[in-house]
Amino acid sequence: MYKAIIFMLLLSTACHMQTKETQSPLLYMITSSYCSPEEEGIQVYKFNQEDGSATRVSGMSGISNPSYLQPSANGELVYSVSEDDDRNASAYTLAFNKTAGTLYIVNNQLTQGGAPCYINVDPQNRFVLTANYTGGNITLFRLDEEGYMLPPSQILYLTGQGAIPERQDKPHLHSITFAPDSTFLLAADLGTDRIYVYRTDIEMSGKPYLIPHDPAFYALSPGSGPRHMVFHPSGKWMYVINELSGMVTAFDYKEGILTLIREIEADTLQAQGSADIHITPDGRFLYASNRLQGDGLAIFAINQVSGELTRTGYQPTGIHPRNFIITPNGHYLLVACRDSHIIQVFRINSETGALTNTGKDIHLSRPVCIKFI
């Protein structure tokens, strides 16, 4: 009897310890910066999403201007662009050692489009895409069994221009975002004020993998400059931050069809530098970053019935807040302030969405992208 009780107590303790270990607050965090290939442009940290602290683990060199990163679904690979505006513009596959917290290059492919500024991987890990800003095109790379990129299998070239000649002389692809069911892919073209919609060829047949939907695009207001997009956790709404107009555009979304809800101002100074957009995991609050003047984050509450936004505040940040990210538990927002050479860590008020600067700045050169693994 005694032995049975002791065994049950030990088993209960072991299960409790395993649960605590499984629910560890520590995340791997990878960051990237504008830099030369000789510099360690990609850094790895351990971030504690309970207390907001970060510890540097390692750094990696070898890539010129790795301005955007995207981990694979299992976290074993990381894909990076090299945002160079010449024939060397490339996409890279990096292997991630989860035990040591280190990255190393395993292969790369030319994007055949200048200044790739965004990279995304299909959730089923079948292909990778880059949005090429000066190339005005989207490049698709199928993946081999190990997840390494093969040479481009499809390149989509866009045409047209926008209302602001000095910024919209031709297509400028800025991001590519999968709809929640992965059946559709949306591409934001800053140069033509369009959100392009593509259906994915699930069967991986001999046809082009991305097929223009009907309608093929949604036209935003002239001079908008759509940059980044985010879907609400419910999948019912999609939001766009427009770099040039400083507006957030809200859409109803269903099976590749966008229906305008309304627009609301994120940048009241009209600095033409709005950058990134994210939503808290509970779907209650949306944030949009603004640069060039009044650098900071516009804060919005999301109506959970209609998807409409209400502006509730504004949080000043360091200089040139480009990319930012929210922790999976919704407790912290981290923003890469490129020209202040820091990543700022803000605590999120779960009731109001307001941000409080924790003062736990992460110091590094010209940070522009943050991702969790």
Side-chain angles (χ1 to χ4, degrees):
M1 180 70 176
Y2 246 172
K3 289 182 178 179
I5 293 173
I6 292 172
F7 174 77
M8 292 302 293
L9 286 171
L10 289 172
L11 181 62
S12 174
T13 302
C15 290
H16 179 66
M17 289 175 66
Q18 184 177 16
T19 300
K20 287 185 70 178
E21 182 180 353
T22 302
Q23 296 176 348
S24 169
L26 292 176
L27 301 169
Y28 274 119
M29 180 177 79
I30 52 174
T31 69
S32 63
S33 303
Y34 282 120
C35 67
S36 70
E38 292 74 33
E39 298 174 275
E40 291 187 336
I42 299 179
Q43 308 282 341
V44 179
Y45 296 84
K46 280 188 177 179
F47 184 81
N48 188 320
Q49 61 173 336
E50 290 300 329
D51 66 17
S53 62
T55 303
R56 185 181 180 278
V57 177
S58 67
M60 194 203 82
S61 60
I63 302 178
S64 173
N65 296 320
S67 64
Y68 203 83
L69 307 168
Q70 186 63 58
S72 62
N74 61 14
E76 295 178 356
L77 297 171
V78 175
Y79 301 97
S80 172
V81 295
S82 174
E83 192 179 336
D84 290 333
D85 193 15
D86 55 29
R87 289 178 296 177
N88 295 322
S90 302
Y92 286 78
T93 308
L94 314 176
F96 182 61
N97 184 320
K98 291 184 178 181
T99 302
T102 54
L103 288 160
Y104 60 93
I105 298 170
V106 292
N107 85 331
N108 72 290
Q109 299 288 349
L110 296 176
T111 59
Q112 300 183 36
C117 60
Y118 198 99
I119 193 164
N120 211 339
V121 57
D122 131 73
Q124 283 74 46
N125 218 55
R126 299 165 299 179
F127 65 98
V128 161
L129 298 133
T130 61
N132 309 314
Y133 185 80
T134 58
N137 57 348
I138 302 170
T139 307
L140 183 149
F141 307 89
R142 293 192 181 184
L143 302 176
D144 66 16
E145 292 181 357
E146 294 181 315
Y148 300 174
M149 287 184 294
L150 299 170
S153 58
Q154 185 180 12
I155 301 177
L156 299 169
Y157 293 92
L158 304 183
T159 60
Q161 56 189 23
I164 304 175
E166 61 272 21
R167 298 291 301 277
Q168 298 180 303
D169 57 324
K170 62 179 182 178
H172 290 301
L173 267 294
H174 220 302
S175 66
I176 36 183
T177 301
F178 286 96
D181 64 1
S182 303
T183 303
F184 293 95
L185 179 84
L186 287 79
D189 182 7
L190 181 147
T192 64
D193 296 319
R194 291 175 176 177
I195 302 295
Y196 286 88
V197 183
Y198 298 94
R199 180 184 288 274
T200 57
D201 177 8
I202 299 299
E203 298 303 320
M204 296 294 283
S205 66
K207 304 173 186 176
Y209 191 76
L210 297 179
I211 303 167
H213 191 43
D214 184 15
F217 61 83
Y218 182 94
L220 287 88
S221 302
S224 292
R227 181 181 170 102
H228 283 191
M229 301 167 282
V230 65
F231 278 89
H232 189 269
S234 69
K236 295 188 294 185
W237 308 302
M238 194 271 282
Y239 303 89
V240 182
I241 181 64
N242 295 285
E243 179 171 344
L244 303 181
S245 69
M247 304 293 285
V248 175
T249 308
F251 292 97
D252 280 318
Y253 174 83
K254 186 174 183 180
E255 297 179 352
I257 302 297
L258 297 171
T259 304
L260 179 67
I261 298 175
R262 63 169 293 204
E263 290 189 321
I264 187 169
E265 199 170 40
D267 174 18
T268 60
L269 301 177
Q270 300 180 346
Q272 297 189 335
S274 297
D276 203 6
I277 187 168
H278 291 286
I279 295 173
T280 51
D282 61 9
R284 296 182 59 199
F285 302 104
L286 179 147
Y287 303 85
S289 61
N290 300 303
R291 306 164 294 168
L292 306 184
Q293 293 183 49
D295 293 7
L297 296 162
I299 306 169
F300 301 91
I302 303 174
N303 185 305
Q304 300 301 297
V305 176
S306 67
E308 290 192 22
L309 301 177
T310 301
R311 183 165 168 141
T312 60
Y314 196 86
Q315 175 62 51
T317 65
I319 305 170
H320 207 89
R322 187 182 170 100
N323 173 243
F324 65 95
I325 195 168
I326 297 169
T327 54
N329 65 3
H331 292 179
Y332 291 94
L333 183 153
L334 289 79
V335 55
C337 302
R338 188 192 70 184
D339 295 351
S340 292
H341 305 288
I342 57 172
I343 292 174
Q344 288 180 298
V345 181
F346 291 93
R347 180 83 186 189
I348 299 174
N349 185 310
S350 61
E351 297 300 319
T352 67
L355 301 174
T356 302
N357 191 348
T358 65
K360 298 179 180 182
D361 295 346
I362 303 166
H363 295 267
L364 69 167
S365 176
R366 305 185 75 197
V368 291
C369 186
I370 313 167
K371 294 288 181 176
F372 291 122
I373 295 181

